[in-house]
Amino acid sequence: GNSVTQMEGPVTLSEEAFLTINCTYTATGYPSLFWYVQYPGEGLQLLLKATKADDKGSNKGFEATYRKETTSFHLEKGSVQVSDSAVYFCALGTGGGNKLTFGTGTQLKVEL
Amino acid sequence: SQTIHQWPATLVQPVGSPLSLECTVEGTSNPNLYWYRQAAGRGLQLLFYSVGIGQISSEVPQNLSASRPQDRQFILSSKKLLLSDSGFYLCAWSAGLAGVGEQFFGPGTRLTVL
């Protein structure tokens, strides 16, 4: 079956630090990969996606590259801000898209 | 553009009382619809999903049920709430066969059972 593994949180960084949140997956076939962000008290928002190997998804300064050889989709940002404090979820899905498989989420705290 | 609504935003209910949470989607047709629960500090648990009117798949045995009376309406219900039903309930939709699988989430309902 499909599974997603994320690094445990919380991750605490100073403003302007470099961010990496690791995500690896196990899937049959060729999944699409997603990063979602959840701000306190809100629903999840799609942050970025990649639908095939070597695709790079990017949005709001965040990037992630679909690495089929390492089955990874690590989230990166060069300079985090306090406003990036949230929980980040990695997920995978298959075409025809009935269900997504989510990781357990990684909480990010950015301090001044 | 598509939008998804959930109500109520917050709810406090006594143990043993009934529950009805509603989710509606605008701007799309024939969406797949999903109910998730998120316990405090935890990940997402898929409760139900639906690929069409009257078609409901349950992911986990529990005290809850779901119904889809219209194409863009999804309802989560319980006849008698338990303390363990407390949590943050999220509704989501996806484009099904027309998409690559991404889901779009509503703002959520915070349920506290006392």
Side-chain angles (χ1 to χ4, degrees):
Chain A
N2 297 338
S3 68
V4 175
T5 302
Q6 286 183 240
M7 60 190 293
E8 292 285 329
V11 173
T12 303
L13 295 173
S14 298
E15 201 170 42
E16 300 184 0
F18 185 86
L19 168 71
T20 300
I21 300 178
N22 291 336
C23 171
T24 57
Y25 67 90
T26 302
T28 54
Y30 302 96
S32 295
L33 300 172
F34 309 94
W35 276 102
Y36 284 84
V37 59
Q38 185 179 32
Y39 299 102
E42 299 184 7
L44 277 69
Q45 300 175 28
L46 180 64
L47 181 59
L48 53 84
K49 67 181 180 184
T51 59
K52 61 183 187 297
D54 299 325
D55 269 2
K56 177 185 283 187
S58 62
N59 186 25
K60 300 181 180 178
F62 291 90
E63 295 182 339
T65 301
Y66 189 147
R67 301 287 187 198
K68 187 170 181 289
E69 64 276 13
T70 55
T71 61
S72 65
F73 193 53
H74 304 321
L75 183 68
E76 296 181 336
K77 186 175 185 182
S79 176
V80 294
Q81 306 299 311
V82 172
S83 57
D84 293 327
S85 298
V87 180
Y88 292 81
F89 291 91
C90 184
L92 70 83
T94 56
N98 281 347
K99 292 190 282 187
L100 292 181
T101 301
F102 284 89
T104 53
T106 302
Q107 184 174 12
L108 170 65
K109 297 180 181 178
V110 181
E111 301 173 335
L112 290 171
Chain B
S1 64
Q2 301 88 4
T3 55
I4 179 168
H5 304 279
Q6 286 186 245
W7 63 90
T10 61
L11 191 59
V12 180
Q13 292 284 93
V15 169
S17 64
L19 174 74
S20 181
L21 303 181
E22 189 163 344
C23 171
T24 59
V25 181
E26 297 176 355
T28 187
S29 297
N30 304 313
N32 291 346
L33 296 171
Y34 309 83
W35 278 112
Y36 291 87
R37 177 169 57 204
Q38 190 176 28
R42 307 285 291 275
L44 296 168
Q45 180 185 33
L46 178 63
L47 302 175
F48 301 95
Y49 73 95
S50 170
V51 299
I53 296 173
Q55 301 178 62
I56 309 294
S57 296
S58 174
E59 290 295 296
V60 292
Q62 60 202 313
N63 183 43
L64 302 168
S65 61
S67 62
R68 184 170 177 173
Q70 300 180 43
D71 181 46
R72 290 169 288 178
Q73 184 185 29
F74 205 23
I75 297 172
L76 184 69
S77 303
S78 174
K79 293 182 179 178
K80 289 186 178 182
L81 283 169
L82 306 173
L83 286 174
S84 57
D85 291 324
S86 292
F88 192 48
Y89 287 83
L90 291 162
C91 181
W93 73 273
S94 74
L97 291 173
V100 296
E102 70 261 61
Q103 294 177 13
F104 302 94
F105 286 78
T109 295
R110 175 79 56 195
L111 171 65
T112 304
V113 182
L114 300 175

